């Protein structure tokens, strides 16, 4: 059963060594993520699952490691439990592993990468399956909003982006499972939304769990929508 979730964005810039001179600009976001992860770890969950997008569907159940070498930083991180055998963690999961490392998490932790274009039905079903892995499951859900919030954004400015992100923020802040489940993949793809599939995994896991929510952060630095929320 899902007992708690933390929703965080997954830009590598969350890691101060990657952000370098821009690190202070993201300190409020970094603090919100740390608080959400701490609440997740304090929830009494007995198993954590980190969910984020990746180039293909993949799971890590015996540990896993990722690195930030591709961003010019000699830093490697690993999931809190298990070894480091198997494929490297997807970038979104690597950022999740870094957040858990910073929080000194020690719980058994699995990780799950999902394709950005995965169908909603598939993600909802996956979420239900993850919630059944243990009596008390916690999710760390990694994903960004639209990347089209300004002319300097990766996807340039799209007038739909602000409204899309506002709807997502409302859903995450209200634990609105139905609203997240109803997110359409097509506009998400057009607006370069990285988090749609992971958020729908959360929706599937949280169905019937009766969780409340708190939205900790909803801004768009660098023209990309970033959200931090706690479900409990």
């Amino acid at each position: 059963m899902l007992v708690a979730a933390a929703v965080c964005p997954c830009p590598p810039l969350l890691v101060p060594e990657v952000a370098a001179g821009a690190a202070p600009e993201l300190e409020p976001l970094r603090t919100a993520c740390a608080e959400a992860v701490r609440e997740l770890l304090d929830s009494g969950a007995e198993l954590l699952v980190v969910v984020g997008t990746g180039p293909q569907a993949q799971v890590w159940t015996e540990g896993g490691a990722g690195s930030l070498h591709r961003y010019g930083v000699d830093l490697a991180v690993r999931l809190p439990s298990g070894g480091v055998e198997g494929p490297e963690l997807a970038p979104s999961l690597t950022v999740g592993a870094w957040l858990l490392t910073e929080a000194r998490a020690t719980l058994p932790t699995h990780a799950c990468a999902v394709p950005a274009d995965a169908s909603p039905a598939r993600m909802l079903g996956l979420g239900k399956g993850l919630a059944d892995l243990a009596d008390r499951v916690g999710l760390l859900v990694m994903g960004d909003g639209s990347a089209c919030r300004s002319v300097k954004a990766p996807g340039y400015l799209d007038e739909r982006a602000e409204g899309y992100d506002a709807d997502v923020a409302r859903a995450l802040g209200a634990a609105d499972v139905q609203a997240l489940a109803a997110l359409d993949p097509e506009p998400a793809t057009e607006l370069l939304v990285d988090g749609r599939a992971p958020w729908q995994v959360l929706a599937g896991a949280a169905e019937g769990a009766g969780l409340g929510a708190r939205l900790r952060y909803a801004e768009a630095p660098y023209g990309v929508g970033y959200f931090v929320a706690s479900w409990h």
Side-chain angles (χ1 to χ4, degrees), residues 92-108:
S92 65
L93 303 178
T94 296
V95 176
W98 177 80
L99 287 172
L100 292 174
T101 299
E102 288 294 293
R104 300 184 179 180
T106 58
L107 286 173

Side-chain angles (χ1 to χ4, degrees), residues 118-202:
S119 73
R122 182 181 173 194
M123 295 300 92
L124 294 170
L126 173 61
K128 292 176 182 178
L130 294 180
D132 288 338
L133 287 177
D135 289 339
R136 299 183 63 84
V137 174
L139 293 185
L140 174 54
V141 182
M142 307 297 297
D144 300 344
S146 67
C148 302
R149 292 280 296 274
S150 74
V151 294
K152 294 184 178 181
Y156 197 66
L157 176 64
D158 189 310
E159 294 181 353
R160 300 172 296 170
E162 186 173 355
Y164 184 97
D165 282 350
D167 289 342
V168 170
R170 280 193 291 270
L172 291 175
D176 190 337
V177 171
Q178 285 72 30
L180 293 178
L183 290 174
D184 187 339
E186 185 173 343
T189 299
E190 294 170 352
L191 295 172
L192 305 183
V193 176
D194 177 73
R196 190 272 308 169
W199 299 329
Q200 289 183 322
V201 174
L202 170 61

